[in-house]
Amino acid sequence: MNAQLNVDLHSHSLASDGLLQAHQVAARAKAGGVDVWALTDHDETKALGEARAAAEALGMRFINGVEISVSWTPRTLAANVVAPAPVAADSVRKPRSASDTTIHIVGLQIDPANPVLSKGLKAIRSGRDERAARMALDLEIAGIPGALEGAKKFAVNPELLSRSHFARFLVEAGKATSTHQAFFNYLTEGKPGFVQHQWATLAEAVSWIRAAGGVAVVAHPGRYKQLSQPQLNEFFAEFKDLGGRGIEVMTGSHSASQYDHFAEVARCYGFLASRGSDYHGPGESHVEPGALPPLPADLTPVWHDWF
Ligand code: AMP
Ligand code: MN
Ligand code: MN
Ligand code: MN
């Protein structure tokens, strides 16, 4: 293993909610100095072939990846759990648990042809259509018609309609000045276009990744603000018990103090450490591919035994 390699193991293409085709993301990664690159589309592996061909043509190593959406409920309900948003009488929202959190698990070095993984991912993708219809209905009730058709115009992969596509529609419709503002005002917990959704269980996501020969890594652990510290600890312990191996320490949405904090979490739990920009495309990402600081030298990188 060469400690000097620039490794970026988290990014998205138009096969999920990125803005660029896989070969264009490869070119951005190369331009950012990346030596080893993974594409990790949400719940989808269809662009991995294109990504690998483009990466190898550019002289980068390519790692097959995926980012799986998980719904996780802690056993321990801490005092600071946010209460569920009030449900409007005419809303189609299902009752939900106050403790249900969406968590993303990245699978790296997966075999995308593995039937356990591909069947599991297909099942999660299929739930997105119904969620999108409920989101559009909620937005219509809030005075914004046409959101389903509007969002679909931005989704190149019809099986992967994402909140990001709704955010782009809301910007286009003049309801928000940025996708970030669209999330803040419409698409996050308690806001008019947010609907609770049941993704894979943590056990399913980790088992699919392992069945496909991959390594399971917690994506951007600093983003699960709904979880208290004890709940996040419970999550890490459960993830490890299930065979999860790594966490992202360096990721586009972490602050410098979160780099330090999650480096310490990796040491405490014996997790492998990962580094990934979570690049979605120009104007929608915190950092460019390859631009994050390196991992702290004492951590074991998730790629330590790959090459
Ligand atoms: P979905 O899987 O359809 O629920 O969409 C989740 C995606 O929305 C994430 O992967 C991000 O790309 C994007 N996202 C979530 N929260 C925000 C936010 N506050 N601002 C911008 N994008 C966000
Ligand atoms: Mn995304
Ligand atoms: Mn994510
Ligand atoms: Mn991501």
Side-chain angles (χ1 to χ4, degrees):
M1 190 207 62
N2 180 342
Q4 304 305 313
L5 289 177
N6 187 332
V7 182
D8 191 317
L9 300 176
H10 192 148
S11 60
H12 296 272
S13 76
L14 279 167
S16 64
D17 62 346
L19 290 166
L20 303 175
Q21 292 176 31
H23 74 269
Q24 296 173 308
V25 187
R28 297 290 286 228
K30 182 69 184 176
V34 173
D35 301 300
V36 183
W37 170 55
L39 184 71
T40 55
D41 276 312
H42 297 284
D43 311 322
E44 176 61 276
T45 58
K46 72 194 288 183
L48 293 178
E50 178 191 332
R52 175 176 295 281
E56 291 177 354
L58 291 166
M60 293 186 290
R61 276 179 207 267
F62 183 71
I63 304 297
N64 284 328
V66 67
E67 181 174 19
I68 304 183
S69 314
V70 162
S71 298
W72 184 75
T73 307
R75 282 188 303 272
T76 48
L77 280 188
N80 64 350
V81 169
V82 181
V87 178
D90 51 357
S91 155
V92 293
R93 260 173 231 164
K94 280 193 232 154
R96 62 168 297 248
S97 155
S99 49
D100 209 35
T101 299
T102 298
I103 294 198
H104 287 170
I105 302 295
V106 167
L108 298 170
Q109 292 281 57
I110 48 155
D111 170 9
N114 178 273
V116 173
L117 176 67
S118 54
K119 191 164 164 256
L121 295 180
K122 193 169 168 51
I124 331 180
R125 285 197 304 273
S126 71
R128 285 181 174 269
D129 278 349
E130 193 217 331
R131 179 185 71 148
R134 293 165 64 210
M135 287 170 64
L137 194 53
D138 269 14
L139 286 168
E140 195 169 337
I141 291 164
I144 303 176
L148 188 58
E149 299 67 33
K152 278 183 176 169
K153 278 199 297 175
F154 290 95
V156 166
N157 179 357
E159 287 188 41
L160 215 115
L161 204 42
S162 158
R163 281 187 294 157
S164 300
H165 303 121
F166 279 86
R168 291 170 199 152
F169 158 75
L170 288 165
V171 172
E172 184 196 55
K175 304 295 179 188
T177 56
S178 65
T179 51
H180 186 76
Q181 196 192 50
F183 271 91
F184 187 80
N185 287 336
Y186 294 101
L187 302 174
T188 40
E189 183 100 42
K191 301 297 164 65
F194 182 82
V195 298
Q196 196 61 33
H197 186 69
Q198 216 44 56
W199 302 107
T201 67
L202 181 61
E204 285 170 337
V206 175
S207 72
W208 299 340
I209 291 166
R210 295 181 75 194
V215 182
V217 173
V218 180
H220 41 66
R223 278 180 57 181
Y224 309 121
K225 297 274 163 40
Q226 313 91 308
L227 298 178
S228 66
Q229 196 62 53
Q231 289 174 329
L232 200 54
N233 289 338
E234 180 195 329
F235 171 78
F236 288 136
E238 192 178 322
F239 174 73
K240 188 167 171 150
D241 277 355
L242 290 167
R245 302 283 311 281
I247 63 169
E248 289 183 343
V249 171
M250 312 308 287
T251 164
S253 54
H254 279 178
S255 64
S257 67
Q258 286 176 318
Y259 299 155
D260 295 341
H261 176 74
F262 290 104
E264 197 50 34
V265 168
R267 291 179 194 110
C268 285
Y269 285 85
F271 285 139
L272 301 171
S274 193
R275 173 179 185 266
S277 56
D278 204 357
Y279 184 70
H280 282 71
E284 283 197 22
S285 286
H286 297 274
V287 295
E288 286 291 307
L292 289 167
L295 288 174
D298 68 300
L299 298 183
T300 306
V302 66
W303 58 88
H304 74 107
D305 58 355
W306 293 353
F307 35 79

